[in-house]
Amino acid sequence: MFADRAKIYVRSGKGGDGHVSFRREKYVPNGGPDGGDGGRGGDVIFVVDEGLNTLTDFRHVRKYKAMDGKDGGKRNCRGKDGEDIILRVPAGTVIREAESGKVIADMSGDNTRYVLLRGGKGGNGNQHYATSTMQAPKYAQPGQPAQELELQLELKVIADVGLVGFPNVGKSTLLSRVTNARPKIANYHFTTLSPNLGVVDLEDAKGFVIADIPGLIEGACEGVGLGHEFLRHIERTKLIIHMVDAASTEGRDPIEDIHAINRELEQYNGELAKRPQIIAANKIDAIAEDNRESVDAIRAAFEPKGIRVFPISAVSGQGMQELLYCVSQMLSEMDDKPTVFEQEYFPEMELTSAQNEPFSVLYDEESQEYVIEGPRIEKMLGYTNLESEKGFVFFQKFLKDNGILEQLETLGIQEGDTVRMYGLSFDYYK
C-alpha cells in the first residue's frame, strides 16, 4: 500500500541533573564543591533518505524518543549525553504540528536534515555556584525537561508537471511511453492508487519530472474517493496537464471533465487552479481524421483562455513530441526554485512560551548585578542555542514578551550593566 500520511509522537531527551558533592580526600579537610554537570538529552532529527518513497514505516511505529542525558557525578564527572534519534523520511515530506496543522518543516530542496526538537540541556553541578561568600553551595541545577510533539507527516511528491484526469483516460499509458516509469496499465474503472513519477528526456531541450497523479472524481476536495490523497500531490507542481478522453469512449464529456477538475482544484486550494495548464486530448486514434469535432470543441472552449490543446494518442505516440516540447518550453520560462512550504510553527518558541512557571527579576547589591531566576528561565536557556543568530533573536523576544526587559528598566538598569542568569552574564544594551 502506498502510504503518504502518518501521525506520530516524538520526544527529545531530558537533560541529566547536576550533582551536589564535595571533595573529600585525606589531608584536604575542607575540599570545595566538585559536583559534575548532567549530560545533554538527545535531539529528534529528521533526515531525507533518497531510497525511500513512502511513509509506510511510520504506520507501524508511532512513538519515537531520544535518550535522556545521564546525571552528573562526583569528582567533576560529567554525565553522558543522550543519543539522538534520527527519523528517515522520503524527499517531499512535510512535517506539521498535528493539532494546529501548521508547517514545521518541509523536507525538500536544500533542507535534507532538520533538528526538530532539541534535547534538554544538562544541569550545572554545584561546582558552578561557589562564590566568595558561599563556598559550599548545596544546590545543583536540574536538567532541562524533554520536549514532545504530536506530528502529522505528509508526503507531497516532487514533480515539475502533474498529469491529471478522470480514471481510465490514459495517463498511465502516456507516462509509460514518455518516461522510464512502469505503471500498471489496464482498462479498470477505478484509479491508480499511488502517484507514479517518471523523468522525460528530450533532445535539445530540458527534461522534466512528470507525475501521474491518482485519478480524480468529483467531490475530491471534500475527501470523496481518494480526495485529498490526490490533491496534495499536485501542490508542488509548476504546470498541470489535463488529460481527457477526446473520443468519449465511455460516454464522458471531455469539456465537462476539465471544468470538473478545475472546480476541485479551486475548492481545495485556489492557487492550484491558477497554475499554467495544458490539455492533452487523448485517444484520437479512436476518432476518424475527418471527424474530430470533439477536439475542435475542446479548442474552442479553452484556447481563447490561453490554454493550449494538443490532440494525442498515448497508444500510438501521435502528437506526443509537440506536447512534451511545449511543456519543456513553458517550464524553461518559469522559476527554477522548487515549491517549498514555509515554516509556520516554531517548536522552540511555541513550547517554551507555553510554560507558566514563575521567575524573578531582582538587583543583587553585593555583586552589583541584575539577577533573573526561576524555572521558566532555566527552561528557556536549556532550549535555546544562544550562539546562533536565530537563537539569540528568540532569546531577546522571550525577554520582551515575558515583561523581563520592562522589569529591569523599572529596577533602574542602565546600558552597560550586567545581567546574570544561571551562570551566564550579559551586558545590557537597548
Side-chain angles (χ1 to χ4, degrees):
M1 177 182 176
F2 178 78
D4 65 353
R5 297 188 82 189
K7 190 173 184 178
I8 63 172
Y9 163 87
V10 294
R11 173 190 176 277
S12 63
K14 174 189 176 299
D17 295 336
H19 189 71
V20 176
S21 62
F22 299 91
R23 185 181 175 194
R24 292 291 181 263
E25 296 180 25
K26 195 174 182 180
Y27 308 120
V28 187
N30 296 311
D34 68 352
D37 300 343
R40 180 188 64 82
D43 298 337
V44 176
I45 303 172
F46 280 82
V47 175
V48 170
D49 187 334
E50 298 296 344
L52 297 176
N53 54 22
T54 77
L55 297 171
T56 301
D57 292 345
F58 297 100
R59 293 284 184 92
H60 305 300
V61 181
R62 294 182 180 268
K63 291 187 177 181
Y64 299 87
K65 299 180 181 180
M67 298 294 292
D68 294 339
K70 299 297 183 182
D71 296 341
K74 299 178 180 179
R75 300 180 180 178
N76 300 325
C77 289
R78 184 180 184 279
K80 183 180 179 182
D81 290 342
E83 290 186 14
D84 300 333
I85 185 166
I86 297 178
L87 306 182
R88 302 186 181 279
V89 295
T93 300
V94 177
I95 305 168
R96 299 179 185 272
E97 195 275 323
E99 185 176 350
S100 66
K102 291 181 178 179
V103 174
I104 299 176
D106 184 350
M107 304 302 292
S108 59
D110 296 329
N111 189 27
T112 57
R113 186 178 188 276
Y114 182 75
V115 180
L116 183 92
L117 296 179
R118 294 195 177 276
K121 181 181 176 183
N124 290 329
N126 68 332
Q127 60 175 310
H128 292 278
Y129 300 102
T131 66
S132 59
T133 58
M134 186 174 63
Q135 297 181 7
K138 296 180 180 180
Y139 167 81
Q141 187 183 31
Q144 299 290 344
Q147 292 180 309
E148 57 184 5
L149 273 177
E150 289 273 353
L151 303 177
Q152 182 72 55
L153 307 183
E154 282 188 336
L155 177 59
K156 299 176 187 287
V157 299
I158 300 175
D160 302 304
V161 179
L163 183 60
V164 303
F166 279 74
N168 205 34
V169 295
K171 301 194 308 297
S172 297
T173 304
L174 181 145
L175 193 75
S176 67
R177 172 172 283 276
V178 302
T179 76
N180 56 355
R182 291 293 176 265
K184 294 180 180 179
I185 301 170
N187 187 28
Y188 296 139
H189 288 265
F190 53 86
T191 181
T192 307
L193 292 179
S194 62
N196 290 297
L197 271 70
V199 178
V200 177
D201 293 317
L202 299 172
E203 289 187 16
D204 304 321
K206 187 176 180 181
F208 53 88
V209 179
I210 187 170
D212 162 21
I213 306 296
L216 181 65
I217 62 176
E218 290 189 75
C221 64
E222 299 168 359
V224 176
L226 287 181
H228 295 161
E229 308 298 317
F230 157 79
L231 291 163
R232 75 167 54 92
H233 287 299
I234 59 174
E235 289 190 72
R236 293 192 196 275
T237 56
K238 300 175 183 177
L239 186 150
I240 296 173
I241 297 178
H242 288 266
M243 197 163 188
V244 292
D245 178 0
S248 298
T249 57
E250 296 186 353
R252 300 190 61 88
D253 180 351
I255 295 176
E256 180 50 38
D257 281 358
I258 296 168
H259 286 310
I261 288 176
N262 279 331
R263 283 195 296 270
E264 297 301 319
L265 298 181
E266 176 67 36
Q267 292 176 45
Y268 176 74
N269 181 342
E271 291 299 314
L272 291 180
K274 298 176 184 177
R275 301 272 166 88
Q277 300 180 4
I278 291 178
I279 294 171
N282 191 30
K283 301 190 181 182
I284 60 169
D285 53 302
I287 308 174
E289 287 194 23
D290 58 352
N291 188 27
R292 292 187 176 173
E293 295 178 359
S294 61
V295 174
D296 294 337
I298 296 171
R299 281 180 165 151
F302 295 100
E303 288 196 338
K305 301 177 182 179
I307 302 174
R308 296 192 62 180
V309 177
F310 289 85
I312 67 165
S313 169
V315 173
S316 69
Q318 184 180 350
M320 297 294 291
Q321 289 295 97
E322 293 86 346
L323 171 66
L324 298 177
Y325 276 95
C326 177
V327 170
S328 178
Q329 175 63 33
M330 291 178 69
L331 289 173
S332 68
E333 296 170 358
M334 297 178 187
D335 191 345
D336 281 340
K337 292 182 180 179
T339 300
V340 177
F341 295 89
E342 295 295 327
Q343 186 172 7
E344 302 168 328
Y345 185 97
F346 298 84
E348 287 189 358
M349 293 188 183
E350 298 281 354
L351 296 175
T352 304
S353 61
Q355 305 298 334
N356 294 314
E357 291 89 345
F359 64 88
S360 63
V361 181
L362 51 88
Y363 181 67
D364 185 340
E365 294 280 356
E366 186 175 342
S367 64
Q368 296 186 341
E369 294 177 330
Y370 292 85
V371 181
I372 305 173
E373 293 180 330
R376 195 187 314 186
I377 307 303
E378 279 192 298
K379 289 185 178 182
M380 181 275 295
L381 292 174
Y383 293 149
T384 309
N385 178 14
L386 296 178
E387 296 180 1
S388 73
E389 182 179 353
K390 183 182 290 186
F392 196 75
V393 169
F394 167 61
F395 169 68
Q396 291 177 309
K397 186 176 186 299
F398 174 88
L399 295 180
K400 181 178 180 181
D401 291 349
N402 286 274
I404 295 173
L405 294 182
E406 185 178 344
Q407 290 189 42
L408 288 171
E409 290 174 1
T410 301
L411 290 172
I413 194 169
Q414 301 294 320
E415 289 201 2
D417 287 348
T418 301
V419 178
R420 188 176 76 240
M421 301 182 196
Y422 293 101
L424 297 174
S425 294
F426 305 91
D427 291 334
Y428 175 80
Y429 291 101
K430 281 193 175 183

